[in-house]
Amino acid sequence: ATVDHNVPTTPDRKDGVDAIVDQVSRLQVKTLDDNCDEYGITEFKMNDIRQGIVHVIGPEQGATLPGMTVVCGDSHTSTHGAFGALAHGIGTSEVEHVLATQTLRQEKARNMLVRVDGQLGPGVTAKDVALAVIGEIGTAGGTGYVIEFAGQAVRELSMEGRMTLCNLTIEGGAKAGLVAPDDKTFEYIRGKPSAPKGAAWDMALSYWKSFVSDEDAHFDRTVVIDGSALVPMVTWGTSPEDVIPVTGNVPDPESFATPDKRAAAHRALDYMGLTAGQPISDARIDRVFIGSCTNSRIEDMRAAAAVVQEAFLHGRLVAPHVKAMVVPGSGLVKEQAEEEGLDAIFKAAGFDWREPGCSMCLAMNPDKLQPQERCASTSNRNFEGRQGRAGRTHLVSPAMAAAAAIAGHLVDVRNWLEETA
């Protein structure tokens, strides 16, 4: 167990649970601590170096292994499917049932294959692939399915990238998403604290290598995407399916096929303060959030820092009107990033470097948007009020978010320095 959703990410949290200002949040954290102590459940408490977002710390501890069924009281449990596990979120009563019985009654899902062919181009990441998939199938397109991600572009992703891809499966409506384990998977797991050791490792590895779909496997639906044609993506509306290339224009609500879709698009544009036809890159931002269970691992920190460092070398800092924050996904990610000097890069450019937690992904802790503030965010949901009442969220990759912080508006990370010089 760990605490993540409602813990503060500011330095004063080192004072412990009493540093949590909100009474309900403080009670929730204290109750979890007390229950774990009473019943002997391992917990990484708020100031444990291993504490962090549950979908970051599980894999980094080696608690997520191929072939497992992984459930958690959070919808983005699908993240763990990157290891060839069947992973999905469950409700509170189901959590109780699993703790009591180690079983869970489920109906068999249908199978969907999402094959991303070709090689991703420069500046295109797992986040862009995931958003492109959601844009293709819609937020209800995966309902009733478990998705297997395959194809050259998926095989070439790092484990961190695969976790990002599977993390967003739920935003496409699917129950779970997974990637067949391979040598990248095994090397990531090897040596982790909870991973098998010695002879047990050899036995597990032999078994895990059998976790591949048959050549003639039947899928109820197949979606094929040309990965080589993808560009950096950004959401424009209030649903993850409201996504366009960063080079595109905000769509006209009247171009949608059904009355419901047209009405939803009109409402989204009104809420987001955007105009049909405007280049999405014209959207001026107020806040940048780099973090969440989608994009807060060391690879994400490095990708964002690389953009920031390049800008810094060109004399560029965070835009004066922008408040930007970087929130590592765990204490161990934070520690590694600081060992690599990434924190110094962010701070020198004007970013706020925080303690681990879910932070501004959702308005359950002090990190919130104010009404009408526009945020370039590496999180996973852009619903109305998700990051704070009347806040406006644009979902992007870590590199895109970092570039937007410095440019002061949404930009194409592939050529933004030249265009905004």
Side-chain angles (χ1 to χ4, degrees):
T2 193
V3 286
D4 55 13
H5 277 55
N6 45 13
V7 297
T9 62
T10 47
D12 57 5
R13 78 182 222 165
K14 299 212 180 284
D15 293 332
V17 176
D18 291 338
I20 301 176
V21 176
D22 182 77
Q23 292 184 8
V24 174
S25 294
R26 186 168 63 248
L27 178 61
Q28 286 178 327
V29 172
K30 188 177 186 306
T31 301
L32 179 65
D33 290 351
D34 291 345
N35 285 342
C36 288
D37 289 343
E38 181 177 355
Y39 294 103
I41 296 174
T42 299
E43 182 195 10
F44 299 157
K45 296 183 180 180
M46 193 164 72
N47 289 321
D48 188 315
I49 187 66
R50 300 166 296 176
Q51 178 270 337
I53 305 172
V54 64
H55 308 311
V56 175
I57 69 170
E60 74 182 8
Q61 290 296 317
T64 304
L65 301 173
M68 277 186 166
T69 299
V70 179
V71 293
C72 177
D74 182 86
S75 56
H76 293 102
T77 304
S78 56
T79 307
H80 305 260
F83 294 83
L86 178 62
H88 58 89
I90 56 176
T92 304
S93 59
E94 291 176 305
V95 170
E96 180 183 24
H97 190 80
V98 170
L99 288 172
T101 70
Q102 288 293 288
T103 64
L104 192 64
R105 183 176 180 178
Q106 296 286 287
E107 293 184 1
K108 187 177 185 298
R110 290 177 291 174
N111 300 322
M112 181 189 298
L113 176 66
V114 173
R115 198 179 76 227
V116 187
D117 293 334
Q119 189 172 45
L120 301 181
V124 182
T125 70
K127 182 66 165 285
D128 303 302
V129 174
L131 290 174
V133 170
I134 297 166
E136 176 70 22
I137 70 174
T139 52
T143 303
Y145 289 95
V146 169
I147 295 176
E148 179 180 349
F149 295 102
Q152 179 186 354
V154 174
R155 305 315 305 177
E156 291 179 352
L157 290 176
S158 66
M159 287 308 300
E160 287 89 346
R162 295 177 190 182
M163 283 187 263
T164 294
L165 182 59
C166 290
N167 173 276
L168 285 159
T169 306
I170 186 65
E171 308 309 331
K175 185 178 186 66
L178 52 82
V179 178
D182 58 12
D183 288 342
K184 287 183 182 179
T185 317
F186 309 142
E187 287 308 307
Y188 183 95
I189 297 169
R190 189 190 302 273
K192 294 285 193 294
S194 295
K197 306 291 191 301
W201 169 264
D202 295 335
M203 291 176 61
L205 188 61
S206 177
Y207 182 47
W208 295 339
K209 288 180 177 179
S210 69
F211 295 166
V212 293
S213 293
D214 297 336
E215 288 293 331
D216 59 350
H218 169 76
F219 289 92
D220 298 295
R221 182 181 177 187
T222 297
V223 175
V224 179
I225 291 177
D226 181 2
S228 65
L230 295 180
V231 301
M233 307 294 285
V234 57
T235 57
W236 57 268
T238 54
S239 168
E241 72 180 12
D242 297 339
V243 62
I244 55 176
V246 69
T247 52
N249 297 334
V250 175
D252 182 349
E254 293 304 311
S255 67
F256 288 84
T258 67
D260 287 347
K261 289 288 188 182
R262 290 193 288 273
H266 277 293
R267 177 186 173 98
L269 289 191
D270 181 62
Y271 180 87
M272 293 295 292
L274 298 173
T275 303
Q278 76 171 82
I280 192 63
S281 59
D282 284 352
R284 185 177 189 267
I285 64 165
D286 308 293
R287 303 287 293 271
V288 164
F289 169 57
I290 299 174
S292 85
C293 62
T294 310
N295 284 124
S296 64
R297 299 170 183 84
I298 190 63
E299 178 181 279
D300 303 311
M301 301 291 106
R302 290 169 180 157
V307 171
V308 174
Q309 185 172 42
E310 182 183 10
F312 187 79
L313 293 174
H314 284 78
R316 305 288 295 277
L317 305 175
V318 170
H321 68 277
V322 174
K323 294 180 180 178
M325 59 193 300
V326 182
V327 186
S330 73
L332 293 175
V333 170
K334 182 174 187 284
E335 182 179 63
Q336 183 174 352
E338 290 173 351
E339 288 176 355
E340 296 180 13
L342 305 184
D343 63 317
I345 293 171
F346 288 122
K347 289 187 284 189
F351 286 79
D352 195 6
W353 179 250
R354 295 296 192 94
E355 298 295 322
C358 290
S359 187
M360 199 185 281
C361 176
L362 73 173
M364 282 183 63
N365 58 71
D367 301 338
K368 300 177 184 179
L369 295 180
Q370 296 302 306
Q372 279 75 57
E373 280 191 323
R374 187 181 305 280
C375 182
S377 177
T378 67
S379 52
N380 42 55
R381 287 182 173 159
N382 55 336
F383 308 149
E384 293 185 19
R386 170 70 177 187
Q387 292 188 292
R389 184 176 65 84
R392 296 163 170 167
T393 302
H394 295 278
L395 302 179
V396 291
S397 71
M400 287 277 286
I406 294 166
H409 58 91
L410 295 173
V411 289
D412 186 342
V413 71
R414 298 172 299 176
N415 53 19
W416 72 283
L417 270 177
E418 292 81 0
E419 292 187 357
T420 61

